[in-house]
Amino acid sequence: RSICLLAPRPMLSAVSTGLALIAPAPGRVAPMQRSGAVSMVQKDNLAAQIAGVAAAVLAVGVQSASAGPFTREDIASLTYLQIKGTGLANTCPIVQPSESGKTTISVGPGAKIEEFCLEPTSFQVLEEKMTKKGLVTEAVDTKVTTRQTYVLTGIDGDLVQKDGKLTFLEKDGIDYAATTVQLPGGERVPFLFTVKNLVAQSDVATSSISPGLKMAGSFTVPSYRTGLFLDPKGRGTTTGYDQAVALPALQAGGDESLFKENDKKFDVGTGTIEMKVTAVNAELGEFGGVFVQKQPSDTDLGSKQPKEVLLKGQFFGTVNN
């Protein structure tokens, strides 16, 4: 009886090294043909590439998250099997270097931002700490406990001018991801990583995107839980019990201490983001850079005080005039 051993799922940090083995250089990786017949040599080469990636990823170990090393064109040339299990699907592309040196994208009427992608590489929670100088707020490093599904991608929206400044109005896409991080003490902080209804405006009046451009704005943070969610005691917002049924004596009153637990509500918060463009390819309409984002965490349907989550990472997008 044959036994199939499955390699453990790799972390993002190991992808940079592992993907070097399947880098889409000429002669190494080519798009898979659509013909039904595939030779045994092609199958062996593909199996060797996948095995090499898994071995390299395991050899590197677990580190912090890092951005993907591939351009949009490189990723499009890879097959599903070449991407599967490498963590590349949870990364944003990088801007392809411009061959002509043009690094300014002119924005005309009706322009749109497409394929906008946000990849956080740092997750921190802001906590208050008592020191000799008094109460101070510091950013505490955390560890991601959810799977590699927290990158926002496929986001699009209008790119317009308001008061002479470029303004990005987010409309649609995979613009939220349920994520959980763990503090050094073991406490876990769930939050909905999102940029829903983002309105980001440039810091100066301009009609083009070039390296050094800064944009900032705010967005809506919906509740981590939805209306049909029931807590362990069967309480919810639109369905379920309205109090802890296991405590019948409190039905006549006296449950003020459990008011927040019983009174479920759909909390909607507000987050802020700042972005700085560091790379532009005018021919392909690509731009990318770094971002810093702050948003509230989950409130467990109103029963807990939210924490402030600070995220830092890289972004990518394309402009369609």
Side-chain angles (χ1 to χ4, degrees):
R1 181 180 297 178
S2 61
I3 299 177
C4 178
L5 297 179
L6 298 178
R9 183 179 296 273
M11 295 298 289
L12 281 181
S13 57
V15 175
S16 299
T17 302
L19 289 178
L21 299 176
I22 61 170
R28 296 186 68 180
V29 173
M32 182 174 290
Q33 302 296 325
R34 291 185 177 272
S35 60
V38 180
S39 65
M40 294 301 296
V41 176
Q42 290 174 325
K43 290 183 178 180
D44 292 341
N45 290 339
L46 181 58
Q49 289 175 348
I50 297 174
V53 172
V57 167
L58 290 176
V60 172
V62 178
Q63 301 283 342
S64 60
S66 60
F70 280 7
T71 64
R72 186 172 50 143
E73 182 180 355
D74 293 338
I75 295 177
S77 69
L78 298 176
T79 64
Y80 168 77
L81 290 179
Q82 289 170 331
I83 296 177
K84 180 182 178 181
T86 63
L88 180 60
N90 193 51
T91 61
C92 292
I94 60 174
V95 177
Q96 183 170 329
S98 175
E99 297 180 356
S100 64
K102 295 181 179 180
T103 58
T104 300
I105 301 176
S106 298
V107 178
K112 294 181 178 293
I113 288 183
E114 300 176 345
E115 300 183 50
F116 189 68
C117 177
L118 288 168
E119 179 190 352
T121 58
S122 171
F123 300 82
Q124 295 176 313
V125 174
L126 300 181
E127 288 196 327
E128 294 183 343
K129 182 179 180 181
M130 182 61 68
T131 63
K132 295 180 179 180
K133 298 181 179 179
L135 194 63
V136 297
T137 301
E138 64 176 11
V140 180
D141 294 331
T142 64
K143 178 179 66 175
V144 181
T145 60
T146 47
R147 287 191 169 192
Q148 300 178 31
T149 56
Y150 49 78
V151 165
L152 308 183
T153 186
I155 300 173
D156 59 69
D158 297 331
L159 186 61
V160 300
Q161 280 196 325
K162 288 186 177 181
D163 301 326
K165 298 181 179 180
L166 284 179
T167 304
F168 173 44
L169 307 174
E170 190 267 342
K171 296 295 183 182
D172 198 5
I174 304 177
D175 53 8
Y176 69 94
T179 311
T180 301
V181 295
Q182 182 172 307
L183 292 167
E187 179 184 0
R188 294 192 173 183
V189 180
F191 66 98
L192 193 70
F193 174 42
T194 180
V195 287
K196 277 189 173 295
N197 303 323
L198 170 65
V199 179
Q201 196 171 50
S202 62
D203 58 340
V204 295
T206 181
S207 60
S208 61
I209 297 178
S210 58
L213 178 67
K214 297 180 181 179
M215 300 185 73
S218 60
F219 53 88
T220 301
V221 182
S223 173
Y224 183 84
R225 305 291 189 186
T226 57
L228 296 180
F229 174 78
L230 297 178
D231 70 1
K233 297 186 182 299
R235 297 169 297 191
T237 56
T238 59
T239 185
Y241 299 109
D242 58 0
Q243 62 184 22
V245 182
L247 302 174
L250 295 180
Q251 293 182 11
D255 61 346
E256 290 79 8
S257 60
L258 298 176
F259 177 76
K260 289 186 177 181
E261 295 284 347
N262 293 333
D263 185 31
K264 304 294 184 182
K265 57 183 179 180
F266 191 89
D267 277 335
V268 178
T270 301
T272 58
I273 187 172
E274 296 181 5
M275 300 177 288
K276 181 179 180 180
V277 178
T278 59
V280 175
N281 185 320
E283 290 87 354
L284 301 178
E286 299 178 349
F287 68 99
V290 294
F291 75 92
V292 177
Q293 175 173 325
K294 185 170 69 172
Q295 66 170 83
S297 67
D298 174 41
T299 64
D300 198 13
L301 293 176
S303 63
K304 298 178 181 178
Q305 287 295 325
K307 295 180 179 291
E308 290 291 337
V309 182
L310 184 67
L311 303 104
K312 303 175 184 177
Q314 302 185 7
F315 71 89
F316 172 88
T318 62
V319 176
N320 184 9
N321 280 305

